[in-house]
Amino acid sequence: MTQTSPAAVPVQAPPARRRRRVHRAWSVAAVAFVTITGAAAFRSVPGLFLDPLHQEFGWSRGTIGAAVSVNLALYGLTAPFAAALMDRFGIRRVVAAALTVIALGSGLTVWMTAAWQLLLCWGLLVGLGTGAMALAFAATVTNRWFTERRGLVSGILTAASASGQLVFLPLLSWIVEGHGWRPAAVTVALAALAVVPFVWLLLRDHPADVGVRPYGGEEFVPKPPPVTGAARRTLAVLATSVRTGTFWLLAGTFAICGASTNGLVQTHFVPAEHDHGMPVTTAASLLAVIGVFDVVGTIASGWFTDRFEPRRLLAVYYALRGLSLLFLPMLLGPAVHPPMLFFIVFYGLDWVATVPPTLALCRERFGEDSAIVFGWVLASHQVGAALVAYLGGVARDVFGSYDLVWYAAGALCAAAALMSLVIRRTLRPAGIPAVS
């Protein structure tokens, strides 16, 4: 019997491992993150300009607050139309045009001499530009490029709005303190222009553009044809969605969200601390630290939204925010102390943690129209923010203090917590079809 030598047995090499490439959806999300970061930074600057503009031109805080309120309102009202325009012309073109409009509006403020010019430049132009890159943009990217991890991605993109504060506020406050508000406005204009090449070269409208499936998807999704009649479709989606109680509850809670964040804290926290003797740079740094913890809180909220009931999450978030605002008037002072730091951390974790569960409820309830519906819900967020940005300035002029506004915002957050629990877990009614 012949035995085969071990040396004669052919040895097969193990199969080569394929390197797993990072899905293109993540690079698109990264560009969207940078873009939304810039939009948030550009939108947060007016809070630093309140005192310098008041001192140079003698404009009342109510007048300056009116320009901020126009900016905030347009940021929200532009969002649903921007989502529809992205369906018509593509994400890349709309975002690049928006950045150019922001650069124009911010740059022109250098030559302004009257309050109406502030309304035109920072209110109208910058408001329109940042609105086109609002969270409806994040919803569009998430819906097109992801079928898995949507909650996490929406949390990450929402956190980009906090990152804008983190990156820009300390720098811009230093520029305002040392060199005046005009160099800060020029910095915003140049930063907006610098992002345009990255958007044009790296952002893509749809997974089909690069021949891939959405992240987590099992089938290739063909690119849909451009949707014409963007304005008509946007208004038609609004007409159907307002026939549901869910829309009004989401819009109402999100209006309170905007009033208690962008309208109140983002616009008036720095001047309120300055009223108590704190340097502007220190107060702006505290606002930036809120942004640090907001990144953590919002990404965590996205993770929670993938796993827990969104309605209950919203109720908890609003209740905790209202509680923190009720304590804030007792914490304001000339120096940073431990209770204020606790507020900064606590409030920062909750700043926009409401966005991922709100977006999830829009997706659950309104299906393929969810990005546009969320744009309208975001519009209510910014209308609430605009009202408080203006009324907060008026309250400061009339009462010499912001205390009443902090207490009112805390009470509104308690109401939002109750409204969140009322939202029903139902799918789209048969009588309310998707708008195409």
Side-chain angles (χ1 to χ4, degrees), residues 149-167:
R149 303 289 187 267
R150 280 179 167 175
L152 177 63
V153 173
S154 62
I156 292 172
L157 294 182
T158 303
S161 62
S163 299
Q165 292 181 177
L166 169 64
V167 173

Side-chain angles (χ1 to χ4, degrees), residues 22 25 55 96 158 178 180 188 199 203 231 241 253 281 296 311 357 394 411 423 426 428:
V22 177
Q55 293 170 6
T158 303
V188 168
V199 168
L203 195 62
S241 60
T253 55
T281 51
V296 178
R311 295 155 189 81
V394 172
I423 298 174
T426 55
R428 184 195 310 275

Side-chain angles (χ1 to χ4, degrees), residues 385-411:
L387 285 172
V388 173
Y390 172 69
L391 294 176
V394 172
R396 171 61 179 80
D397 289 335
V398 174
F399 301 108
S401 168
Y402 287 103
D403 288 358
L404 180 63
V405 188
W406 303 124
Y407 294 134

Side-chain angles (χ1 to χ4, degrees), residues 253-325:
T253 55
F254 227 40
I256 294 172
C257 179
S260 57
T261 54
N262 302 87
L264 183 58
V265 175
Q266 188 174 64
T267 304
H268 295 291
F269 178 80
V270 173
E273 279 285 30
H274 191 54
D275 284 346
H276 287 76
M278 181 176 288
V280 171
T281 51
T282 304
S285 297
L286 287 176
L287 197 58
V289 173
I290 287 178
V292 175
F293 288 96
D294 180 36
V295 172
V296 178
T298 308
I299 293 175
S301 177
W303 187 86
F304 289 145
T305 302
D306 286 332
R307 291 162 176 81
F308 300 104
E309 173 56 50
R311 295 155 189 81
R312 295 181 181 177
L313 289 176
L314 284 178
V316 171
Y317 295 158
Y318 283 121
L320 293 176
R321 182 185 301 174
L323 184 65
S324 66
L325 287 173

Side-chain angles (χ1 to χ4, degrees), residues 157-228:
L157 294 182
T158 303
S161 62
S163 299
Q165 292 181 177
L166 169 64
V167 173
F168 277 85
L169 270 181
L171 171 64
L172 291 174
S173 65
W174 175 79
I175 294 174
V176 171
E177 282 281 289
H179 306 281
W181 63 269
R182 287 182 176 83
V186 172
T187 301
V188 168
L190 294 177
L193 289 176
V195 179
V196 173
F198 294 96
V199 168
W200 195 255
L201 295 174
L202 300 177
L203 195 62
R204 291 294 180 269
D205 296 328
H206 196 276
D209 290 340
V210 290
V212 299
R213 295 174 295 180
Y215 179 83
E218 297 181 357
E219 297 180 357
F220 180 82
V221 179
K223 184 176 181 179
V227 180
T228 57

